[in-house]
Amino acid sequence: MKVAEIMTTDVFLTAPTRTIREAAETMQRMDVGSLPVGDGDRLVGMVTDRDIAIRAVARGMGAETPVREVMTQDIRYCYEDEDVDSVARNMADLEVRRLPVVNRDKRLVGFVSLADFAHCGDEESSEELLKGVAKPH
């Protein structure tokens, strides 16, 4: 099974110049915990609800802080034509619950998450990923 078969394709990018308030409002509206950050058609980062809480609010930054100041720039991703087994192992090793999915031109085409794996029918991949991301810290 390929990642393209289980990924979510309804993805909204936010710009690095948007405020963390706007990013949080978008997360609330879309009921998601993270947003890819795009500059034009390039994926330049990710911002999560945790980034906003820990990197901004906990440090006293205001709601008008640009996303670029709190986003994660070191982006991990997978390709849409990769096998789910391989991606699950990679996500478990990285201890991440979601990954952006790009095509071979490195354009964002979707997201794959722990929930996608849990519902894909590949119990082995799902279990491996869960064990990787659920490690105690």
Side-chain angles (χ1 to χ4, degrees):
M1 186 179 308
K2 303 293 182 188
V3 170
E5 298 173 60
I6 68 167
M7 70 183 188
T8 301
T9 57
D10 188 21
V11 179
F12 178 83
L13 275 99
T14 193
T17 56
R18 297 205 44 178
T19 67
I20 59 173
R21 177 194 318 268
E22 292 169 316
E25 288 169 349
T26 300
M27 288 180 202
Q28 179 185 25
R29 186 174 62 254
M30 296 181 67
D31 192 28
V32 296
S34 67
L35 292 172
V37 181
D39 188 7
D41 66 350
R42 288 187 4 208
L43 187 61
V44 297
M46 291 287 298
V47 64
T48 66
D49 48 8
R50 189 171 196 282
D51 291 333
I52 293 170
I54 303 300
R55 294 181 180 168
V57 175
R59 293 181 181 162
M61 295 178 169
E64 301 309 308
T65 301
V67 166
R68 82 166 66 79
E69 292 187 29
V70 300
M71 72 182 190
T72 299
Q73 294 180 27
D74 184 22
I75 308 162
R76 305 286 193 223
Y77 58 87
C78 65
Y79 291 104
E80 65 184 340
D81 59 358
E82 284 186 76
D83 290 325
V84 294
D85 301 348
S86 170
V87 173
R89 278 192 301 278
N90 188 35
M91 289 173 68
D93 290 345
L94 295 170
E95 297 181 17
V96 297
R97 298 174 190 270
R98 61 185 75 84
L99 272 182
V101 181
V102 298
N103 63 21
R104 290 295 171 172
D105 293 326
K106 295 200 177 170
R107 299 214 190 296
L108 183 68
V109 295
F111 249 80
V112 67
S113 70
L114 178 59
D116 296 322
F117 280 91
H119 294 96
C120 78
D122 186 334
E123 292 182 25
E124 189 175 314
S125 294
S126 180
E127 184 177 326
E128 182 171 353
L129 175 55
L130 181 59
K131 286 180 181 176
V133 299
K135 289 180 186 172
H137 292 283

